[in-house]
Amino acid sequence: MENDYLRDSGIKTLGTRIRRLFERLNGNVTELYRRELDFEQRWFALGMLLADHGPMNSRDATKMLGQSHVAMVQVVRAMEKAGLLERKADNRDARSKILHLTAAGSEKLQQVSALSQIVDQAAEALLREAAPDFLKQLDRLDDALDRLSFAERIEMAFAKEGQNK
């Protein structure tokens, strides 16, 4: 990009650049899923998790996907409204509900999986061209944040700055 303020600003705009990259990638996929399958891209991870691992409670799904409880509730409600998912009582814990794909949900996920293979090919081509080690680097960032959250790192920077004054 020519005259790219965010790029020129370096580390100061890291979060905004990551959001912009996400929007550039995700926006196109979201449009494709809506247009071709009447499916919301944000449902993909939970749908595939349930298709691959079977029914589970939302707490386990939230943990396995690394999402917030609020985000999970929104996705579950939307998928339930679309007829793709249903919540059933958990026989082991009356307070908990087990998430199940409906027959329509399983069928839709098969369609999504076929389309996502094409999306995956495009993503692999992009990474080969521009950032072959990107997924490894992303893993390293996730691992580093597991060891010490970004909030903790900010606090450490504040403490260090206080010592330097």
Side-chain angles (χ1 to χ4, degrees):
M1 271 185 207
E2 195 172 319
N3 295 323
D4 187 339
Y5 178 77
L6 296 179
R7 183 180 284 196
D8 294 343
S9 297
I11 196 75
K12 293 175 187 172
T13 57
L14 177 64
T16 304
R17 284 193 71 191
I18 291 170
R19 251 186 320 282
R20 179 175 74 181
L21 176 63
F22 172 76
E23 289 167 0
R24 292 176 76 185
L25 295 170
N26 196 58
N28 297 135
V29 175
T30 297
E31 290 173 25
L32 176 68
Y33 284 165
R34 283 181 184 158
R35 182 181 69 241
E36 297 295 323
L37 300 172
D38 192 28
F39 184 84
E40 292 296 320
Q41 195 274 336
R42 65 190 178 109
W43 303 344
F44 182 76
L46 177 59
M48 293 307 298
L49 178 66
L50 295 174
D52 290 345
H53 293 277
M56 67 178 59
N57 67 42
S58 61
R59 182 178 52 253
D60 291 341
T62 299
K63 185 176 180 181
M64 289 179 77
L65 295 174
Q67 295 181 338
S68 71
H69 174 72
V70 171
M72 181 61 68
V73 168
Q74 291 172 349
V75 169
V76 166
R77 285 184 182 157
M79 289 181 74
E80 200 171 29
K81 184 176 178 182
L84 304 176
L85 181 142
E86 58 188 356
R87 290 182 281 181
K88 296 181 181 178
D90 184 344
N91 295 333
R92 292 174 290 166
D93 183 353
R95 299 166 296 166
S96 183
K97 298 286 187 192
I98 302 295
L99 306 176
H100 295 258
L101 285 176
T102 62
S106 293
E107 183 178 321
K108 185 67 76 169
L109 262 292
Q110 288 177 354
Q111 296 169 350
V112 170
S113 292
L115 189 57
S116 84
Q117 289 177 7
I118 296 167
V119 172
D120 291 349
Q121 289 173 16
E124 287 172 358
L126 174 64
L127 292 181
R128 270 194 312 275
E129 174 189 332
D133 291 335
F134 182 74
L135 291 178
K136 288 179 185 173
Q137 292 170 346
L138 190 58
D139 289 344
R140 287 196 297 268
L141 284 168
D142 275 335
D143 293 344
L145 290 170
D146 285 344
R147 287 189 299 276
L148 195 64
S149 76
F150 199 54
E152 293 168 316
R153 292 168 190 274
I154 291 169
E155 287 299 319
M156 289 173 60
F158 269 119
K160 185 177 179 182
E161 186 65 26
Q163 291 174 355
N164 291 337
K165 288 185 178 184

